[in-house]
Amino acid sequence: MSACVRIRHDHTAHSSPPSRASGIKRPHSPPPPRRGGRFRVAGADLSASITVFLIAVPMSLGLAVAMDAPLEAGLISAAIGGIVAGLLGGTPLQVSGPSAGLTVVTAELIQIYGWRTTCAITIGAGLLQILLGSLRAARGALAVSPAIVHGTLAGIGVAIALAQLHIVLGSSPQSSAAANALALPEQLGRTSPAAPLIGALTIAVLVVWPRLPGRIGRAVRRLPAALASVAIATAVAAVAAPGIARVDLPSWRSHALPELPQGPVLALATAVFTVLLVASLESLLAAVAVDKLTADRAAGRTADSASPVPVTPAAPPVRRSDLDRELRGQGIANVLSGLLGGLPVSGGAVRSSANVRAGATSRAATVLHGVWVLLAAGLLVTALEWIPLAALAALVMVVGFQMVNYAHIRNVHRHREFLVYGATITGVVLFGVLEGVAIGIAVAVTVALHRLARTRITVTDQDGQHLVVVRGQLTFLAVPRLSRALGQLPRGGDAVVELDGFFMDHAAYETIQDWSDAQTAQGGRVVFTGRSGGRIAEPASAAHSCCRPWTPWRNHHCHDRPDQPGRPVDAHRTRAAFAPGESFTADQGPTGSGGGAEADATACPTGRLDTPGDGAAVPRRTGAHRLASGLSSFQRNTAPLVRDELARLAREGQRPSQLFITCADSRLVTSMITASGPGDLFTVRNVGNLVPPPGAEAGDDSVGAAIEYAVDVLKVESITVCGHSGCGAMQALMSTKPDTPRTSLWRWLRHGLPSLERMKSRHHAWARISGRLPADEVEQLCLTNVVQQLDHLRAHESVARRLAEGALQLHGMYFHVGEAQAYLLAEGASAGSGVDEVFDRVGPCDPNHSRPYDITDLSDPTGHTELSDPGDHAAVSAPTTAAGPADPPGSGELERTSA
């Protein structure tokens, strides 16, 4: 049980979610739907569905034009994707429809097999999607290298853009991307100006529309850019170019339905597999993107500051995607789309992101968008036939260019995967989607084998000491050369082995370990280093320690590993502190041992720790066994290393520089957070990090006594009051009712009532975290409580006297447990003279810097406030009061009720 008593039901990352039948609701989540209730549509879902509908209609027609398919097929697939995939899919906010990624593939299938056989291929791909979703294979699709996936989509985007450019120029596209590129010079020579000008106007509006400034710009941006560009181009074409080619929707009576496929079985199977692969990957990647957008929105962020409909911090969270269910839903939608003569369906990033940004809260928005498309297909035929083909082609061409994402290129280049990315794009553009994916996989495998096999080993003599430098990965392929190089060194001599790589397999490990044991047995000394020269898995201070005092956490039980029998611990000898199969870095040592900061084989016989990334964690001990195990570990590993320092402190007495008042919550490890050691902090811990004001009542003198002793006897230089996230004491305060039993806990928590009154009062500014608003009322109270307890501190006579002398400083601190992030209260507020009570983020910078803390301001210049880590906080609702409406998002302050 945590020291901060939790009143509300707490859901951690390791706890199982409560069942719907239990009646327990997640914090900040909408209530569960009532059984047997009617299908309810929120106002936000209705408005979002209209926004997505206005984007989907021109997009669907444009993709149908790009595929040379019947135009009504685009509307059919958009309606089915919205209604069927929206109802049955596993991503509530994802909007499905005609697949941009399948544009090139579908166009080629229509040209080779005809429209009716293409519909049958779509049905076959849908059936396979249902099968794979039932086999729970959706996660396996995400195992494909991101460089190949993004390269495939980028190659498809290039092919789309080249094909649609011909339509913008007033002609028809060729059969392949290469043919389209070769035919461009001739096409430019015989182009009439009407179609290119309409296409250029469409592109210009698409680019400028989201960036319109001012109040008028914010108002008109509520209309989607896709609809605005097509509408403006249609109006201009109706006046300036009445003879331009336009949309021609044939009669529904002539609409073609699928037929039994005719052609070579192998070719048809390849076509089905290609549609399956591209549609599934596009849908699953879009689902992952929707999850991230939804998490950003729940945290009060918007992915695009120019979004036509700003997302409010009060947007409710949505469950994460069920990818297997999503794949099954996409399969059912494809089967129905093929049966009704529609295009292949997949999740679309453009439509889905618009849905999230428009404020959709459930799958009702997706379903309604499909209903609107269905109604438009039957009632707006005359209006749709006014749209110029050049405008639709320009719209799709921009979508194709957007599929070549610069952020993806930068990522793959940073991870040295650009060769795979480039090869995939080239293969898709020149040969086709399936061929491009195969080329990308072949190049990825070749690059991986090259990296594993490429190992350079050099041996040099430096003043009688041999330096062995190993560049690259140590696998069994490098063992012969490694053995030969190590065998050339004199036995019993000193050697330094510099390892510059990130992987070592068992064969290489055995070779190095056997050679190291043989050298040391004959009186030699072997040191293993990284590229920087620092010892592998050794702290920067060169202190030989296996565990620091805080490492006996769960999954950090290096003390639970038995010593190797018959092998004494040698504090002056360094062994290879990594295990076979572990990855290691040049400067940090094995990634499995905490990055080299916590482990050193000189004092830990096993040479490694059980960290969370370690696959051989020892089960956690409980009760007396865990206590005895921890004490034994301290006596074995830590006591020999700190005995001299503790003996000095025993002789000289304690002289701490700080009084640290914090909560008794077990998750707060003060020595770790402050990077302090024995004798540095005089610590007071209690439930809620409370400081009772002087003369509160008898029985609460413990904290006052500690303050008086620290200030008058120990002469501390500063006092810090530290609150933390998820404090159960603050939750209990907010849940206190007049009939609460007068228990010991209540009698203590009443010292926090002034903090609660301060938060509700309009006479005090609300405490805030720099760059974002508090996540919820509990976090707001945690912050306000720190400020209030500092006021209580100033009321103590000894503290007031030292403050007047200028010999004491007060600090407020807030620690977010989930983010492992510390925040310091601004200096003015800590001193009691500041108006704004802002907690600034502490960053990892040089403490001697002129500005001691790296304060990251994440405020968007447009007024949107962003969190440093999306998804860590629930949304905060700004209530409306009698004084007026709540502040708009980004105002930097929440509305409060009067005290």
Side-chain angles (χ1 to χ4, degrees):
M1 178 177 178
S2 172
C4 289
V5 179
R6 301 185 182 276
I7 303 301
R8 299 179 180 178
H9 193 86
D10 184 26
H11 299 288
T12 64
H14 301 286
S15 64
S16 59
S19 63
R20 182 172 295 178
S22 66
I24 299 175
K25 296 187 296 183
R26 292 183 176 86
H28 312 288
S29 65
R34 293 179 299 177
R35 296 183 182 272
R38 293 180 298 173
F39 183 74
R40 297 180 179 273
V41 179
D45 289 330
L46 181 61
S47 62
S49 69
I50 296 174
T51 300
V52 180
F53 157 72
L54 296 177
I55 296 174
V57 170
M59 189 76 68
S60 302
L61 292 174
L63 290 175
V65 171
M67 298 176 188
D68 197 23
L71 297 185
E72 65 271 21
L75 298 176
I76 290 174
S77 57
I80 291 177
I83 299 174
V84 178
L87 284 174
L88 303 179
T91 309
L93 300 188
Q94 175 158 281
V95 181
S96 301
S99 171
L102 280 170
T103 302
V104 178
V105 176
T106 308
E108 184 178 359
L109 293 178
I110 293 174
Q111 185 179 8
I112 296 174
Y113 300 107
W115 171 243
R116 300 182 67 183
T117 299
T118 301
C119 291
I121 291 174
T122 301
I123 296 173
L127 292 174
L128 286 180
Q129 283 182 314
I130 297 173
L131 176 62
L132 292 177
S134 302
L135 296 176
R136 301 185 177 276
R139 288 285 176 186
L142 299 181
V144 180
S145 169
I148 297 175
V149 174
H150 296 309
T152 301
L153 296 178
I156 292 172
V158 171
I160 291 174
L162 288 173
Q164 297 313 293
L165 182 56
H166 282 272
I167 300 179
V168 171
L169 295 176
S171 181
S172 299
Q174 305 297 317
S175 59
S176 66
N180 283 323
L182 295 175
L184 272 179
E186 180 183 356
Q187 178 63 38
L188 290 172
R190 52 183 176 86
T191 298
S192 60
L197 289 177
I198 293 299
L201 175 64
T202 305
I203 295 173
V205 175
L206 278 172
V207 173
V208 174
W209 195 263
R211 295 170 175 81
L212 292 175
R215 183 177 300 175
I216 298 177
R218 287 194 297 271
V220 300
R221 284 203 307 265
R222 294 181 179 275
L223 189 67
L227 179 66
S229 62
V230 173
I232 293 174
T234 301
V236 172
V239 176
I244 195 172
R246 303 177 187 277
V247 168
D248 182 15
L249 284 173
S251 172
W252 286 103
R253 297 178 181 177
S254 61
H255 182 63
L257 297 177
E259 66 178 1
L260 290 176
Q262 298 178 359
V265 176
L266 182 60
L268 290 173
T270 302
V272 170
F273 180 76
T274 304
V275 173
L276 164 72
L277 175 66
V278 178
S280 300
L281 284 177
E282 189 175 15
S283 298
L284 296 177
L285 288 175
V288 174
V290 168
D291 278 346
K292 187 179 186 305
L293 286 173
T294 307
D296 290 348
R297 188 184 67 177
R301 301 175 57 184
T302 56
D304 184 3
S305 61
S307 175
V309 182
V311 177
T312 65
V318 180
R319 290 181 302 173
R320 292 186 62 85
S321 298
D322 182 344
L323 295 183
D324 294 306
R325 179 181 173 183
E326 179 63 28
L327 192 57
R328 292 194 298 270
Q330 294 291 334
I332 296 172
N334 271 312
V335 170
L336 290 178
S337 181
L339 287 172
L340 296 178
L343 298 173
V345 172
S346 74
V350 175
R351 296 179 294 258
S352 300
S353 61
N355 192 37
V356 175
R357 291 169 182 167
T361 60
S362 70
R363 62 180 73 245
T366 304
V367 175
L368 282 177
H369 128 270
V371 173
W372 307 144
V373 172
L374 196 61
L375 293 177
L379 303 178
L380 300 179
V381 174
T382 303
L384 296 177
E385 288 182 339
W386 279 92
I387 301 175
L389 291 180
L392 295 179
L395 175 64
V396 177
M397 186 172 68
V398 171
V399 173
F401 281 126
Q402 290 175 345
M403 294 172 72
V404 185
N405 193 305
Y406 177 72
H408 295 158
I409 297 176
R410 187 172 53 192
N411 264 341
V412 297
H413 185 270
R414 185 188 305 126
H415 292 93
R416 299 188 300 169
E417 296 287 340
F418 187 77
L419 181 61
V420 179
Y421 182 83
T424 306
I425 290 180
T426 305
V428 170
V429 172
L430 295 181
F431 307 108
V433 175
L434 197 59
E435 293 84 353
V437 171
I439 292 173
I441 293 175
V443 173
V445 172
T446 302
V447 169
L449 291 177
H450 174 72
R451 289 174 178 171
L452 286 176
R454 186 183 178 188
T455 307
R456 290 177 295 172
I457 304 171
T458 59
V459 180
T460 56
D461 188 355
Q462 297 180 346
D463 301 327
Q465 186 179 61
H466 291 82
L467 174 63
V468 181
V469 179
V470 181
R471 299 276 188 265
Q473 315 336 311
L474 283 173
T475 66
F476 65 94
L477 299 174
V479 167
R481 282 178 291 150
L482 180 63
S483 299
R484 184 166 55 251
L486 296 178
Q488 295 174 358
L489 302 180
R491 296 186 178 182
D494 295 341
V496 176
V497 180
E498 181 180 315
L499 302 175
D500 178 18
F502 58 84
F503 180 78
M504 173 186 296
D505 69 1
H506 186 80
Y509 169 79
E510 288 288 348
T511 300
I512 290 181
Q513 194 64 65
D514 292 343
W515 171 80
S516 175
D517 289 342
Q519 288 289 98
T520 54
Q522 297 182 22
R525 184 172 180 269
V526 179
V527 176
F528 292 89
T529 72
R531 173 178 285 187
S532 63
R535 289 185 174 184
I536 293 275
E538 186 175 60
S541 63
H544 301 289
S545 63
C546 176
C547 295
R548 292 192 181 182
W550 54 80
T551 54
W553 287 357
R554 183 177 184 178
N555 295 332
H556 284 258
H557 307 306
C558 62
H559 55 273
D560 283 338
R561 286 187 176 272
D563 286 340
Q564 295 177 355
R567 184 187 292 275
V569 176
D570 182 359
H572 301 286
R573 189 187 69 173
T574 301
R575 296 185 53 196
F578 41 80
E582 264 186 340
S583 59
F584 64 92
T585 59
D587 299 332
Q588 294 180 333
T591 59
S593 59
E598 300 293 328
D600 184 3
T602 59
C604 189
T606 61
R608 60 185 296 185
L609 294 176
D610 282 341
T611 62
D614 207 334
V618 177
R620 184 178 186 179
R621 299 185 180 184
T622 57
H625 292 288
R626 174 154 171 73
L627 175 63
S629 177
L631 294 174
S632 175
S633 173
F634 169 81
Q635 296 300 146
R636 180 176 66 251
N637 297 322
T638 309
L641 308 177
V642 300
R643 185 169 285 119
D644 292 341
E645 177 68 10
L646 291 178
R648 181 187 66 79
L649 291 173
R651 292 192 304 270
E652 300 174 2
Q654 63 169 328
R655 289 182 295 179
S657 60
Q658 303 177 60
L659 168 61
F660 199 84
I661 303 175
T662 188
C663 185
D665 194 293
S666 61
R667 298 167 296 181
L668 263 67
V669 185
T670 56
S671 57
M672 179 184 68
I673 296 173
T674 60
S676 56
D680 292 338
L681 298 181
F682 189 77
T683 305
V684 174
R685 305 187 66 154
N686 60 58
V687 175
N689 47 273
L690 300 178
V691 180
E697 275 184 24
D700 292 332
D701 292 333
S702 175
V703 177
I707 295 171
E708 182 178 345
Y709 184 81
V711 173
D712 291 338
V713 179
L714 299 178
K715 305 293 183 183
V716 295
E717 301 170 357
S718 68
I719 303 177
T720 301
V721 177
C722 176
H724 68 95
S725 62
C727 183
M730 300 300 104
Q731 297 179 25
L733 269 177
M734 296 188 66
S735 304
T736 301
K737 298 180 180 179
D739 57 348
T740 301
R742 298 306 190 256
T743 62
S744 298
L745 178 61
W746 179 88
R747 285 191 292 273
W748 171 252
L749 288 181
R750 60 190 167 81
H751 297 302
L753 292 177
S755 300
L756 191 60
E757 295 171 0
R758 184 189 190 105
M759 186 181 76
K760 295 180 179 179
S761 172
R762 287 183 173 272
H763 300 293
H764 297 279
W766 267 24
R768 304 188 305 278
I769 292 181
S770 177
R772 70 168 175 85
L773 301 175
D776 51 25
E777 291 181 335
V778 175
E779 186 171 63
Q780 180 61 67
L781 182 57
C782 293
L783 299 172
T784 303
N785 182 58
V786 172
V787 180
Q788 182 64 37
Q789 302 313 312
L790 288 174
D791 286 349
H792 290 177
L793 262 177
R794 297 186 192 98
H796 284 261
E797 179 182 356
S798 56
V799 174
R801 183 179 65 255
R802 290 286 301 279
L803 286 174
E805 296 170 357
L808 183 66
Q809 292 182 342
L810 302 185
H811 301 291
M813 176 180 166
Y814 176 74
F815 185 76
H816 194 288
V817 178
E819 295 176 348
Q821 177 63 56
Y823 298 83
L824 280 179
L825 185 62
E827 292 184 6
S830 292
S833 59
V835 177
D836 290 329
E837 299 166 358
V838 179
F839 286 77
D840 293 325
R841 174 177 176 148
V842 179
C845 68
D846 185 358
N848 297 321
H849 195 273
S850 59
R851 188 177 185 183
Y853 304 109
D854 178 19
I855 302 168
T856 306
D857 186 7
L858 298 176
S859 296
D860 190 316
T862 63
H864 298 112
T865 305
E866 294 187 352
L867 287 175
S868 57
D869 290 315
D872 287 343
H873 305 282
V876 181
S877 175
T880 302
T881 66
D887 293 338
S891 63
E893 187 171 1
L894 297 179
E895 190 71 34
R896 72 180 75 187
T897 57
S898 58

